[in-house]
Amino acid sequence: MNPTREVFENIPHHNWLYILATIGVISLIYGITRRIILWRKGKNINRTDRISTRLINTIKQIFIAPKQYYRSYRAIFHLLIFWGFAILFIGTVLVFSHEYFGFETMHGSFYLAMSFALDLFGILLIIGCILALFRRYILLPEGLDRKPEDLFTPILLILVVLSGFLVEGARISIAQPSFERWSFGGWAIASLFTGLSDTTRLILHRYLWWVHISLASLFIGLIPYLKLSHFLYAPLSIFTSSLEPKGHLPMIEDIEEQEVFGAPTIKDLTYKDLIDADACVRCGRCQEVCPAYNSGKPLSPKKFIQDLKLEMNTLSRVRKNNNGLEEIVGHTIQADELWSCTTCFACQEFCPIFIEHIPKIVELRRSEVLNVSRFPEELNLTFKNLETNYNPWGIGFADRDKWAEGLDIKRFEKPGDAEYLLFVGCMGSYDDRAIKAMRALVSILKKAGIDFAILGTEELCCGDSARRLGNEYLYQILTMENIEKFNERNITKIITACPHGYNTLKNEYSKFGFKGEICHHTQIITEAIKDGNINIGHKNSPTIVYHDSCYLGRYNNIYNEPREIIKRATGSNPFEPKNTRRSSFCCGAGGGRMWMEETIGSRINEVRFDELMGCGTDVIAVSCPFCLTMLNDGKKAKAPDSDIEIMDIAEIVERAIS
């Protein structure tokens, strides 16, 4: 017997299914169209360039290496639901292609293989939904909230698939051809109908078939209105994600001509921002890794995105004159939430669908700073100091190179004075603890025979803090003045010990016309060790735990060089804390938080210090002057009598040089 079956066997008047399907499709299209209309009210941004790169990235993230699979339990049920749904959808397409387009998909061995696959993945989808429900409603993880749609959505999916199995079982029970054993799920269910008369089985088959079609049509129609919508919007969020380096923030072009800065209202965010709000599935991964949230601050990245979604829904009631739009900050997002962010990038690093939290936060800060001058009081002095003395403390710019007294360092005054510019940064120039690390770096560079010079009093703040605090105008002034000094001296190679300076020089200055090679000091030291230009030993070496800086690690993927240096200096790999590499916990200084009071919840630097000290090592190693100061402050508060040292990588190397 040739394995086959009729698609609409025992289903008279099956054409009525097209009415149900049409209703479902109309509801689907209407729901999607409503969201597209809202997205189009956001500001335009070019996220349709480099189409092939975007398509490859989207396919890769969905099918090959999705970011959500970094934890096993989540990976299991996501894989089961995704591939179960995908295979059942493909199977449905194949059935209809056989019926209406003449493709021979319902005959022979192909039909048997398809039947087996559909049953297998249908069962796996049900298991995936049950695991998802178990996690949300039995395990009750802290990061997950529970709404009616969270229960309704997987139950609806289960009912659609389960009704399909019942239809299959009823159909098989009528004739029971032996080849239908390949439909092992339906074959097992067919036993439920044993003992019923042929007429009863025929009636049950028809009834169950219409129940299945009705549930499937309902499922299709509800996709845009339930959690199911992320099936559609998540790929779009991935496709429109930024292709710029992770450390790049969008610039305000022609800033002198702008009348409104940042995003005072929801309509001032970009269409990508609005897509993100719809794509968010409330998985809570951003919240789990947020240092602000985990230290008791009011900011939750998940809630932040969901609140923007609620605000976006008001756009449907707003006409072209924007009447009825509220300012986001103070209405939807509170000031304490906005200013709690350290811009550590953990939220974006672990978001499985590439939602961009930090650009939204910075856009809101830009609006607060540049439109209405509404920001934490202590930042008044920070901004004033940056404007007048080009550093956040307001120390006279004439003292910027005082740290270098007695070191005999060349000044970069004209082209050709040195191969590298050592861009010292504000911390290395003025902060007492960071100065010690900078002097150690200078000693290493000299021993390695590297030709370098500094700008001295000509150097200005790189502008990182100003930009991430929302003062884009001040950032652009500092940036353009620094670039002018670089160009006057034909500087094309820069060394910096500050990851914040490294990030903005490498990833953001290029947008203002500067082209050059930017090196972090861990990269230069690693190269010098490998080339044999400096010799280090590890006699009586201390045990070391390494703390990854957010702006060096997550932003710029520099993880191995600091560890290689520690291994060379001590003879063993550094200890790794619980939160390490891309999961590293912020020190609390980023996003301009270094210059702000921290009065809500626990201090982030103290939380991180406790974790690092718990490793029981002699030394906590860092590669960032901000981290160096913040963790030293954490030690003073939490363990003032401890012998543990907080040291920069450069200090460890200087101590180990033989």
Side-chain angles (χ1 to χ4, degrees):
M1 179 184 294
N2 180 37
T4 187
R5 70 175 176 88
E6 293 183 19
V7 174
F8 297 114
E9 182 180 3
N10 190 41
I11 309 296
H13 312 298
H14 64 265
N15 288 334
W16 285 97
L17 81 88
Y18 301 116
I19 295 177
L20 291 175
T22 299
I23 293 172
V25 171
I26 289 174
S27 176
L28 173 71
I29 294 173
Y30 174 74
I32 295 173
T33 302
R34 284 180 62 231
R35 305 319 292 179
I36 292 175
I37 290 172
L38 292 183
W39 301 340
R40 287 173 60 85
K41 292 185 178 182
K43 289 195 301 188
N44 190 33
I45 185 174
N46 186 10
R47 293 295 176 87
T48 55
D49 59 330
R50 298 160 63 182
I51 296 293
S52 60
T53 300
R54 294 184 180 279
L55 284 173
I56 291 170
N57 185 50
T58 303
I59 293 170
K60 174 184 174 183
Q61 291 303 323
I62 293 175
F63 295 103
I64 302 174
K67 289 168 67 176
Q68 65 261 38
Y69 297 160
Y70 77 101
R71 292 191 179 175
S72 58
Y73 189 97
R74 290 172 177 168
I76 291 171
F77 74 75
H78 270 104
L79 281 168
L80 296 181
I81 293 174
F82 174 79
W83 284 108
F85 180 83
I87 297 301
L88 291 180
F89 176 78
I90 293 170
T92 303
V93 171
L94 291 174
V95 169
F96 275 82
S97 68
H98 168 85
E99 181 68 16
Y100 296 104
F101 300 103
F103 292 100
E104 295 295 325
T105 60
M106 302 290 288
H107 292 283
S109 58
F110 186 88
Y111 169 66
L112 297 180
M114 183 176 73
S115 298
F116 180 84
L118 292 178
D119 276 29
L120 174 63
F121 282 92
I123 292 171
L124 293 179
L125 191 151
I126 291 175
I127 293 172
C129 289
I130 292 172
L131 289 175
L133 288 168
F134 180 80
R135 178 172 181 265
R136 187 176 291 269
Y137 291 98
I138 304 299
L139 298 181
L140 301 174
E142 182 184 352
L144 287 181
D145 50 16
R146 280 155 284 280
K147 294 184 178 181
E149 65 173 313
D150 299 320
L151 182 63
F152 178 77
T153 301
I155 288 179
L156 178 58
L157 264 173
I158 291 172
L159 290 175
V160 171
V161 178
L162 193 57
S163 64
F165 275 119
L166 289 171
V167 171
E168 185 179 50
R171 175 182 59 79
I172 292 173
S173 72
I174 295 171
Q176 293 188 337
S178 60
F179 62 79
E180 290 290 10
R181 293 177 185 272
W182 285 85
S183 301
F184 61 94
W187 184 269
I189 290 175
S191 62
L192 297 176
F193 301 94
T194 302
L196 299 178
S197 66
D198 291 345
T199 301
T200 302
R201 279 181 279 181
L202 288 169
I203 293 172
L204 277 175
H205 175 243
R206 292 171 193 163
Y207 172 77
L208 291 170
W209 190 89
W210 282 110
V211 169
H212 175 65
I213 292 299
S214 299
L215 287 171
S217 299
L218 178 65
F219 171 82
I220 293 170
L222 290 179
I223 286 176
Y225 310 98
L226 297 176
K227 200 169 185 176
L228 300 166
S229 63
H230 83 281
F231 289 176
L232 303 172
Y233 305 149
L236 192 57
S237 175
I238 297 171
F239 180 83
T240 56
S241 61
S242 175
L243 299 180
E244 297 287 350
K246 289 190 286 188
H248 169 267
L249 284 173
M251 66 182 292
I252 299 178
E253 298 184 9
D254 303 318
I255 194 168
E256 296 282 0
E257 301 175 10
Q258 302 301 317
E259 296 181 359
V260 177
F261 302 93
T265 70
I266 193 70
K267 200 171 183 179
D268 297 302
L269 290 172
T270 69
Y271 73 78
K272 160 62 175 169
D273 295 326
L274 303 185
I275 290 172
D276 282 354
D278 270 335
C280 177
V281 73
R282 305 181 0 260
C283 67
R285 286 165 221 187
C286 55
Q287 180 175 286
E288 289 176 9
V289 296
C290 175
Y293 180 83
N294 284 293
S295 60
K297 310 295 188 294
L299 174 65
S300 159
K302 180 182 76 170
K303 179 179 178 295
F304 174 79
I305 297 298
Q306 288 298 306
D307 286 346
L308 291 181
K309 181 176 182 177
L310 291 175
E311 183 68 15
M312 178 173 63
N313 290 333
T314 65
L315 284 173
S316 61
R317 304 191 298 270
V318 174
R319 302 305 177 199
K320 291 184 178 180
N321 58 10
N322 286 354
N323 288 340
L325 279 182
E326 299 274 2
E327 288 189 359
I328 296 174
V329 180
H331 175 253
T332 304
I333 307 296
Q334 300 308 309
D336 283 339
E337 295 177 76
L338 180 66
W339 295 103
S340 292
C341 179
T342 67
T343 67
C344 72
F345 204 79
C347 52
Q348 289 186 223
E349 182 75 6
F350 287 98
C351 177
I353 54 176
F354 290 71
I355 288 173
E356 298 170 5
H357 308 73
I358 293 171
K360 297 173 183 55
I361 287 173
V362 172
E363 285 298 296
L364 298 187
R365 287 182 175 183
R366 285 173 175 175
S367 174
E368 291 292 281
V369 171
L370 300 177
N371 291 329
V372 294
S373 297
R374 188 168 55 200
F375 43 81
E377 184 178 355
E378 57 268 31
L379 293 182
N380 278 302
L381 185 59
T382 302
F383 291 148
K384 181 180 179 181
N385 291 338
L386 285 168
E387 291 169 3
T388 56
N389 283 297
Y390 314 117
N391 68 82
W393 294 277
I395 302 172
F397 61 83
D399 292 333
R400 193 170 186 100
D401 62 352
K402 194 173 181 180
W403 68 272
E405 289 180 354
L407 294 181
D408 190 27
I409 305 174
K410 292 189 296 184
R411 299 305 187 265
F412 219 130
E413 297 177 347
K414 62 183 185 302
D417 277 350
E419 180 182 3
Y420 287 94
L421 166 68
L422 175 59
F423 192 90
V424 181
C426 296
M427 293 292 289
S429 298
Y430 295 108
D431 181 85
D432 289 340
R433 184 63 190 86
I435 285 173
K436 294 178 182 178
M438 182 56 62
R439 291 176 71 90
L441 174 59
V442 168
S443 173
I444 294 167
L445 295 177
K446 287 186 173 183
K447 285 183 172 67
I450 294 172
D451 182 22
F452 72 97
I454 62 174
L455 287 174
T457 58
E458 291 289 298
E459 181 185 288
L460 309 182
C461 176
C462 68
D464 165 80
S465 289
R467 172 165 251 201
R468 277 146 185 85
L469 286 168
N471 198 335
E472 178 73 5
Y473 190 83
L474 177 56
Y475 169 77
Q476 292 196 16
I477 290 174
L478 295 170
T479 296
M480 294 308 296
E481 290 196 28
N482 272 326
I483 290 175
E484 182 179 353
K485 296 176 189 298
F486 298 162
N487 290 339
E488 286 174 353
R489 295 160 175 80
N490 195 26
I491 292 170
T492 58
K493 293 183 178 181
I494 298 176
I495 300 170
T496 179
C498 176
H500 297 260
Y502 173 82
N503 178 72
T504 196
L505 290 168
K506 183 176 188 291
N507 297 321
E508 297 180 318
Y509 270 39
S510 60
K511 298 299 180 181
F512 297 87
F514 175 69
K515 304 295 181 184
E517 177 188 348
I518 314 299
C519 301
H520 188 257
H521 76 308
T522 56
Q523 296 173 310
I524 289 291
I525 293 172
T526 301
E527 186 176 331
I529 293 172
K530 289 181 177 179
D531 291 345
N533 294 328
I534 54 175
N535 297 311
I536 55 178
H538 39 80
K539 184 178 180 181
N540 299 321
S541 297
T543 55
I544 297 176
V545 59
Y546 179 66
H547 161 76
D548 287 285
S549 159
C550 304
Y551 274 76
L552 193 64
R554 272 191 294 270
Y555 274 100
N556 288 287
N557 298 313
I558 297 178
Y559 295 112
N560 296 329
E561 287 88 340
R563 288 169 170 81
E564 177 65 23
I565 292 171
I566 292 171
K567 184 176 181 180
R568 293 290 190 104
T570 66
S572 59
N573 291 317
F575 285 70
E576 300 285 355
K578 175 184 176 183
N579 295 298
T580 188
R581 291 185 176 265
R582 65 192 291 255
S583 299
S584 182
F585 196 85
C586 182
C587 76
R593 289 291 317 175
M594 180 77 176
W595 321 112
M596 299 164 63
E597 298 296 330
E598 190 173 357
T599 58
I600 303 175
S602 303
R603 297 184 68 86
I604 295 174
N605 62 326
E606 294 176 10
V607 174
R608 181 56 167 169
F609 173 78
D610 279 343
E611 180 185 344
L612 294 167
M613 188 176 180
C615 294
T617 59
D618 302 317
V619 173
I620 296 172
V622 301
S623 50
C624 170
F626 284 88
C627 298
L628 185 63
T629 295
M630 294 297 283
L631 292 176
N632 267 291
D633 288 347
K635 177 189 173 184
K636 292 174 185 176
K638 303 292 287 187
D641 299 325
S642 172
D643 293 330
I644 193 170
E645 294 183 273
I646 293 93
M647 300 177 67
D648 187 85
I649 290 288
E651 295 175 303
I652 293 172
V653 172
E654 184 190 36
R655 183 181 291 183
I657 288 178
S658 57

